[in-house]
Each structure stands twice: as C-alpha cells, then as structure tokens.
Amino acid sequence: MDFRLTDEQRLLKDTLNRLIAEQYPFDRRRQYQSEKDGWSRAAWARLADLGILGVLLPERYGGAGGGPIEAMIIMSAFGRGLLLEPFFATVVLGGNLLTLGASEAQKVLLLPALASGKLLLGFAHTERHSRHDLANVATRARRDGLQWVLDGEKCVVLHGDVADKLLVSARSGGEDQYDEDGISLFLVDAEASGVSRRDYRTQDGLRAASVSLTDVHVSSDALIGTSDAAFPLIEEVAHHAIAAICAEMVGAMEEMQEQTVEYLKTRVQFGAPLSKFQVLQHRAVDMLMALEQARSMAMFATMMLGEKDLTERRRAMSAAKIQLGRSSRFVGQQAIQLHGGIGMTMDCKIGHYFKRTTMLDLQFGGADLHLQELAEMGGLISPGAPLPRMDRPIVGRSL
C-alpha cells in the first residue's frame, strides 16, 4: 500500500496551498463573506482559470480526470483556508451526481460549463424529517404526459441560494417514504415556475437555502438516470461527500493545531512562554495524536471509495465519520482553551475553524449516528474477515 503522491498530485497540492496563502488570507475571507453571495465570484473564477473546478471531472468533458486522491488534496487545502466558495456543493455533490448518473447528452451539456465556473449546482435532497436517512424522501414526482411534476420541501441545500440548477430527489414509486426503491433524481432550473428559495447563513458562515417545489413541471430530459432507481447513485455520491468532508476537516484541524502550538511558543505568562509548561506540552501532543488519527481515517475513507463491496464501504465511511467527529471536537476544544478564551471571539481564527469542523461533523450524519450504524453493521471489521493485504510498506503520507 503506497500513499506517496504522484508528481501531478504534488503540483496540485503545492499550487493550491500557494494560491490560498497568497490570495485568501483571513482578512480577505471576511470581505468575501460580506459580499452579496457570501463568497467571492472573483475567487471562483480564479479557481476555474487554474482548472481546479474541472480536476475531478472526466477529460472528455473539459476536466482533468482526477479521482478521490485529487478530491482529498483539494478539500484538505480548502479546509486549511476556510474557503467559502461552493466547490463542495457544485463539484463534489453536483459533479459526481452528473458524472455517475447523467446521460451522455446531459454530461456534454453540463459538465464543461461546470468546469469553466459558469454553472453552479445545488443538491436538494435533505428533508426536515429525513434525519440523515438517505432513503427517507417524501417529495413527490408524478408523470403528466411527457413531463414530470414535482411537489415537496427540501432543506439545508448547500449554496442553494445561488445555484443555477438544482438536483432534486423525489419519490416516484416505492411502498412508503422510507423505501430505497422508488426514488428518482431530476435536474431542475432554479428559476423555474413553482420553485421558491429562502436563503440563510449557516453557523459556520457559509450559505444554504430551503427550497419549496409546488407543481413544478420538468421535461422527461430532466430525469437523471433511471426513474425509481436513484438511491444507489445518491448513496455512492454521499460516500464521496463523506470522504471529502473528512479531508476538509483534516485541513482545518492541521491549521488549529499549528496555530495553537505557535501561540504557546509566543505567549509569555509568568515570565516564560506558555510552551515551557509541561502540562501544556502534553495538551499539544494530545492534539497532534488526535489529528494523526483523523488523518489516517480520512485517507482510509478515500481509499475505500473504490471498494465494490457496499457493506465494507459503508463500514469505512461510518468509521471515518466517527473518528473525524471525535478528533475535530477534541482538537477544537483544546485550541480554544489553550488560546486562553480568545479563541471564542470572532477576531480569532480558531473559533471560525471550530465552527466549520462542527458543521462538517453534522453533514451526512454526526459521529454518534455513525457509531450506532457501525455497531449495527457489526463493527469496522466483521468477525472472521481477513486483514487487508499490504503490498508495500507505508513510506509516506499524502494528506
């Protein structure tokens, strides 16, 4: 098992880190946050010009043909920089849904526009009652001649306030609203008649929207994939999203750990830097250990995206979510306490990182929910299962 990056992947990582350090400092992020959309269209255009928006898309549609490793690199860099731009909603969620489920004609029409930054997408799937159950969909879809008619309510649609098009899940069949069968996915124009959006700012300063669909008519061309059979697609994309979230959390934790250690080295108390006190050194080491555990599980989740056995992939995603949730809470709490309370203020970056990791912990289910699901699956490694084969020694780390 070799975790070394290729030359192209190292170039991507270095380019992103340099770009964010030079053009996305914390003060400028605040300016972006106060803009109309809550993020910067100019920064989004720069990401498109550099090809970042197309890295994960197939080459034949204007992308670079990247995969989970490239997604991990990008999301980790975005986590360190606390980027506000809708990369996760548009590329990770929307791009993967289209790449894995759309028809050839839909891909030709949409993916090049996405790679060039001209198309913003929102994934309208979560509903108030769903409680992170991907199959719990009450929004209805019914046929009306050659068209489909959608009715329902969606909530926490990330960057749904600015999305040009919404990918909407709706129940077109199945025995009840919890049935994995009978879910379809539609591409809906955000300005279509019957679509209304109420935008708001989330706790971590990003944007989301509640979406209402009332008698929304879409053509048969708007169907993504096959009717009544969208659940496997939605679950696979959710696993890509979980791995991306884990990578972003690692990036944010790296920044919290490094900033805290730097603060301990420079803050003088009782005539000596705080870093001279052994008890605080121990706290810093505990933070580093939690970060390394999280990093390992984020890499594990990324690696398992290629696993064909669905049960094993589900186990891996839940295990990663558990560790990342626990590690991020520990690292964030220690960072705030070791900053002597100023970490809670809006002027200190630490508090913003902690808010972001707290929100990421809750997306696609928090640590407690995934602990319950992993327990119901029998744990990460099923009894009697052989250990994974390791072809090579681990010689480095890629995240």
Side-chain angles (χ1 to χ4, degrees):
M1 194 174 298
D2 190 351
F3 291 124
R4 287 175 296 191
L5 300 179
T6 65
D7 291 342
E8 290 78 11
Q9 290 166 343
R10 276 198 297 273
L11 178 62
L12 172 64
K13 182 178 181 179
D14 294 342
T15 300
L16 272 173
N17 288 338
R18 187 167 57 252
L19 173 73
I20 292 171
E22 293 176 353
Q23 302 191 20
Y24 218 94
F26 189 64
D27 289 343
R28 197 169 300 173
R29 178 184 186 270
R30 286 186 164 178
Q31 296 174 13
Y32 296 158
Q33 211 166 16
S34 64
E35 293 184 8
K36 177 185 174 184
D37 296 328
W39 50 278
S40 169
R41 296 267 178 179
W44 185 251
R46 279 196 294 276
L47 292 173
D49 291 341
L50 287 171
I52 302 300
L53 304 185
V55 166
L56 309 183
L57 305 179
E59 294 182 46
R60 60 187 301 182
Y61 306 114
I69 300 295
E70 285 75 13
M72 179 180 69
I73 292 170
I74 294 172
M75 293 304 293
S76 177
F78 284 8
R80 288 189 73 111
L82 278 183
L83 263 65
L84 301 161
E85 283 61 37
F87 183 86
F88 180 76
T90 294
V91 180
V92 176
L93 292 175
N96 274 316
L97 283 168
L98 294 177
T99 300
L100 297 173
S103 66
E104 181 65 18
Q106 290 168 330
K107 292 177 183 177
V108 170
L109 178 65
L110 299 170
L111 292 182
L114 192 157
S116 65
K118 297 176 182 176
L119 175 66
L120 299 177
L121 298 174
F123 182 31
H125 178 65
T126 302
E127 300 179 3
R128 290 183 181 179
H129 50 79
S130 59
R131 306 291 296 176
H132 302 296
D133 180 355
L134 295 176
N136 191 344
V137 176
T139 296
R140 306 296 301 185
R142 58 181 171 83
R143 286 188 180 276
D144 183 10
L146 297 178
Q147 293 188 321
W148 288 89
V149 183
L150 308 180
D151 289 282
E153 302 281 342
K154 299 291 183 178
C155 63
V156 199
V157 181
L158 300 175
H159 288 108
D161 56 328
V162 294
D164 301 305
K165 294 186 181 296
L166 299 168
L167 289 151
V168 180
S169 60
R171 183 160 295 286
S172 50
E175 295 183 357
D176 54 40
Q177 74 177 54
Y178 307 99
D179 195 346
E180 294 181 2
D181 295 327
I183 300 174
S184 300
L185 190 66
F186 300 91
L187 186 69
V188 179
D189 193 313
E191 300 295 333
S193 177
V195 177
S196 63
R197 295 180 283 180
R198 182 178 63 83
D199 66 294
Y200 51 88
R201 192 183 295 276
T202 54
Q203 284 292 324
D204 54 355
L206 274 69
R207 303 293 285 267
S210 296
V211 177
S212 175
L213 304 121
T214 305
D215 203 27
V216 178
H217 286 67
V218 295
S219 68
S220 57
D221 294 341
L223 180 67
I224 304 294
T226 307
S227 62
D228 297 345
F231 180 79
L233 169 64
I234 292 171
E235 186 176 32
E236 184 172 358
V237 171
H239 290 164
H240 281 267
I242 287 174
I245 286 170
C246 291
E248 184 176 351
M249 293 173 80
V250 169
M253 279 189 278
E254 286 176 341
E255 196 68 20
M256 285 194 285
Q257 191 267 339
E258 291 176 10
Q259 288 183 21
T260 303
V261 170
E262 185 63 26
Y263 181 80
L264 294 178
K265 290 179 179 178
T266 55
R267 171 70 175 175
V268 176
Q269 196 76 19
F270 307 113
L274 290 175
S275 59
K276 294 292 184 182
F277 296 94
Q278 191 174 39
V279 67
L280 299 186
Q281 294 175 4
H282 290 168
R283 297 274 288 273
V285 170
D286 289 342
M287 289 176 67
L288 181 60
M289 291 175 60
L291 168 60
E292 291 300 327
Q293 289 172 330
R295 192 196 314 275
S296 298
M297 291 306 293
M299 294 169 67
F300 177 59
T302 300
M303 180 182 69
M304 290 297 286
L305 287 176
E307 174 59 52
K308 300 301 181 186
D309 188 319
L310 180 58
T311 301
E312 294 301 318
R313 183 148 44 91
R314 285 173 173 168
R315 292 179 199 267
M317 298 306 146
S318 288
K321 262 299 213 161
I322 294 166
Q323 185 61 56
L324 269 294
R326 290 179 172 180
S327 288
S328 64
R329 178 177 296 183
F330 178 80
V331 171
Q333 289 176 342
Q334 297 302 311
I336 287 176
Q337 291 174 13
L338 292 175
H339 272 79
I342 64 171
M344 292 290 292
T345 66
M346 295 298 288
D347 292 331
C348 183
K349 289 194 287 186
I350 290 296
H352 295 262
Y353 281 101
F354 192 29
K355 285 183 179 179
R356 181 65 184 144
T357 54
T358 301
M359 291 295 290
L360 289 170
D361 174 35
L362 296 176
Q363 287 181 15
F364 291 93
D368 292 342
L369 175 65
H370 281 282
L371 179 61
Q372 178 182 343
E373 292 186 352
L374 186 60
E376 291 173 353
M377 288 186 281
L380 178 58
I381 300 175
S382 58
L387 292 174
R389 178 171 173 268
M390 299 183 67
D391 299 322
R392 300 180 185 177
I394 299 173
V395 295
R397 69 187 188 199
S398 58
L399 181 58

